[in-house]
Amino acid sequence: MNTPPSGTTECVIVINCGSSSLKFAVFPVTGESVLVKGLAERLGSPEAVLKIERDGETISIQIPSATHHDALQAAVGRMSSLNPRGVGHRMVHGGEEFTGSVVIDDNVMAAVERCSSLAPLHNPANLVGVRTARELFPELPQVAVFDTAFHQTLPRKAFLYAIPYSYYEELKVRRYGFHGTSHHFVSLETARLLGKQPEQTSLITMHLGNGGSACAIQNGHSVDSTMGLTPSEGLVMGTRSGDVDPALHQFLQDQTGMRLSEITAMLNSQSGLLGISGLSNDMRTLAEAARNGHERAALAIEVFCYRLAKSVCGLVAALDTIDAFVFTGGIGENSADVRARTAAHLKILGVDLDENRNACHGRNDGGWISSDRSRVPCLVVPTNEELMIARETLRLIY
Ligand code: ADP
């Protein structure tokens, strides 16, 4: 590595690129607090906008019709005192090709493209982020951090669907699991809070954001996930149904004449909390509505918590022992009500929350929200996927 120009801070840029958005965060090489972060949205449209947060201030810049390249260039233009040493990219699907993070070269790009059929909405967008960063920083190493990689330790009994084996052999149809970067980060933080080594820690982690998944982690390794071939399987989510009867598609097609693509879109974007409540996919909105007597908002929350607890009970089968149940993600970190309702269904496993600790999201108790009577500790551990990607990038480039 070259010596940086004086007066600049060596840093790592983390990029999470969607089809019309680009999120970024900048971390110092020698610390873990974010220096700058930002989001460019509605790229390619006349309303494209770039928001940058630095030193507690947010600025908003209109960038009409900007491409991903324009947006990243505009953001970098405002980072004059920073000296980037590497770029880390969030990649959604690494299939069976990637069991960990990698420095990106042309072979990696080709392999990610091969996995695109498994994540047609995400992988091509992630690759746009890589190409953009390569154009702007041709001299910098770029690192790919995959949502699926942490789950490549799933045993066959957990990842195979009970369909003819040839679909796995020929098309790689299997369960992959997602949110791996978050589950991994949270498992490391939890081990630290428990005063244990990660490889001696067995957990159930619940990442509950707009999407959601739970993960069984045995001795630091993912051994099962609620998500499958795609991020649609498993828990009830903001707009995704999670598990449904595999015969549902045929039934709806026969009854309504809907096309397969329409049914898939309905299950992905009009279902989950939004579908049941008929009101919103946002847990805050639903909690408020439920308090004001909106019955289906209350029902949506009830189904969400019950299905989560039921999945957690299933995941327990993957573990020999359990050190903690861990909540994370926007809902997991902030909704005492969702945690209390979920925990109430887990009493049979000896789970008992402390009302005050839970109401404070564990912030005064080292993450702990369970009572001293609880047979298994329960914790709230905030996730930080960007930081995990920055750590992985640094690990690979130095
Ligand atoms: P994403 O998956 O897009 O990163 P987040 O992890 O930010 O999403 O989670 C978003 C969800 O978290 C939304 O349903 C939002 O309502 C919920 N949430 C955030 N804060 C609270 C809160 N104080 N109480 C309940 N839910 C919350």
Side-chain angles (χ1 to χ4, degrees):
M1 292 267 161
N2 303 328
T3 318
S6 58
T8 62
T9 308
E10 286 188 285
C11 63
V12 167
I13 303 176
V14 172
I15 291 179
N16 181 354
C17 198
S19 58
S20 65
S21 69
L22 189 148
K23 237 187 199 175
F24 67 91
V26 182
F27 290 88
V29 162
T30 53
E32 299 213 318
S33 317
V34 73
L35 296 168
V36 191
K37 63 179 178 177
L39 169 66
E41 285 180 293
R42 300 195 280 280
L43 292 171
S45 85
E47 292 85 36
V49 61
L50 170 66
K51 290 184 191 135
I52 303 179
E53 223 181 294
R54 188 171 190 175
D55 302 326
E57 266 181 53
T58 305
I59 55 166
S60 198
I61 311 161
Q62 301 302 319
I63 44 172
S65 306
T67 60
H68 290 81
H69 182 107
D70 301 333
L72 190 57
Q73 194 162 37
V76 169
R78 299 189 170 252
M79 296 182 199
S80 51
S81 62
L82 300 177
N83 175 29
R85 308 300 282 166
V87 185
H89 295 268
R90 178 196 180 206
M91 306 295 251
V92 167
H93 217 309
E96 289 190 330
E97 308 244 8
F98 298 100
T99 56
S101 308
V102 285
V103 175
I104 299 173
D105 59 17
D106 289 342
N107 290 333
V108 169
M109 296 289 279
V112 174
E113 241 158 63
R114 281 198 295 278
C115 298
S116 283
S117 61
L118 294 165
L121 297 179
H122 293 103
N123 275 24
N126 298 158
L127 285 170
V128 168
V130 177
R131 287 192 198 99
T132 302
R134 278 178 137 188
E135 281 161 23
L136 281 170
F137 306 108
E139 74 291 0
L140 290 189
Q142 317 262 335
V143 169
V145 181
F146 296 91
D147 273 7
T148 48
F150 183 57
H151 303 296
Q152 277 298 298
T153 44
L154 257 62
R156 266 197 305 190
K157 68 182 175 197
F159 76 62
L160 277 180
Y161 289 112
I163 60 176
Y165 195 74
S166 55
Y167 290 107
Y168 168 57
E169 288 178 309
E170 287 159 26
L171 296 172
K172 294 288 171 216
V173 173
R174 51 159 283 179
R175 308 182 62 253
Y176 289 94
F178 297 84
H179 295 137
T181 308
S182 175
H183 290 294
H184 190 190
F185 177 84
V186 166
S187 69
L188 297 176
E189 286 297 294
T190 306
R192 190 178 60 75
L193 291 167
L194 294 172
K196 300 186 82 160
Q197 292 302 314
E199 58 279 9
Q200 288 166 352
T201 312
S202 295
L203 307 167
I204 300 286
T205 49
M206 293 165 265
H207 174 106
L208 310 173
N210 281 311
S213 67
C215 177
I217 299 171
Q218 175 77 38
N219 297 330
H221 300 293
S222 173
V223 286
D224 208 346
S225 160
T226 53
M227 280 182 164
L229 175 72
T230 74
S232 303
E233 189 176 328
L235 306 180
V236 173
M237 307 176 219
T239 62
R240 282 174 246 164
S241 62
D243 294 341
V244 290
D245 187 324
L248 179 66
H249 288 74
Q250 185 70 61
F251 179 83
L252 288 179
Q253 191 181 50
D254 292 347
Q255 296 297 313
T256 68
M258 284 167 87
R259 288 197 302 272
L260 204 52
S261 57
E262 291 172 325
I263 297 168
T264 302
M266 178 274 289
L267 293 172
N268 270 315
S269 54
Q270 292 156 39
S271 298
L273 293 172
L274 173 65
I276 295 176
S277 68
L279 180 69
S280 172
N281 63 312
D282 190 290
M283 187 57 87
R284 266 169 304 195
T285 308
L286 295 181
E288 171 81 30
R291 275 194 295 276
N292 292 325
H294 193 295
E295 264 182 43
R296 281 208 281 136
L299 180 61
I301 297 171
E302 199 183 340
V303 175
F304 181 94
C305 297
Y306 173 66
R307 284 271 302 273
L308 170 60
K310 192 167 138 175
S311 291
V312 164
C313 289
L315 288 175
V316 165
L319 301 180
D320 294 337
T321 178
I322 178 159
D323 295 306
F325 292 105
V326 189
F327 291 88
T328 195
I331 299 172
E333 291 166 30
N334 297 298
S335 175
D337 181 54
V338 165
R339 294 191 302 259
R341 285 169 186 276
T342 307
H345 291 299
L346 298 174
K347 278 204 181 101
I348 197 156
L349 299 177
V351 168
D352 183 52
L353 293 195
D354 179 286
E355 212 176 310
N356 289 328
R357 289 176 187 166
N358 188 38
C360 299
H361 314 293
R363 281 172 203 153
N364 305 327
D365 298 279
W368 246 257
I369 56 168
S370 48
S371 75
D372 299 338
R373 283 190 306 277
S374 191
R375 215 179 313 146
V376 184
C378 298
L379 281 84
V380 173
V381 177
T383 192
N384 193 336
E385 288 162 283
E386 288 85 6
L387 175 56
M388 190 72 200
I389 295 171
R391 283 183 189 168
E392 286 289 276
T393 305
L394 280 171
R395 183 175 67 78
L396 289 175
I397 67 176
Y398 278 111

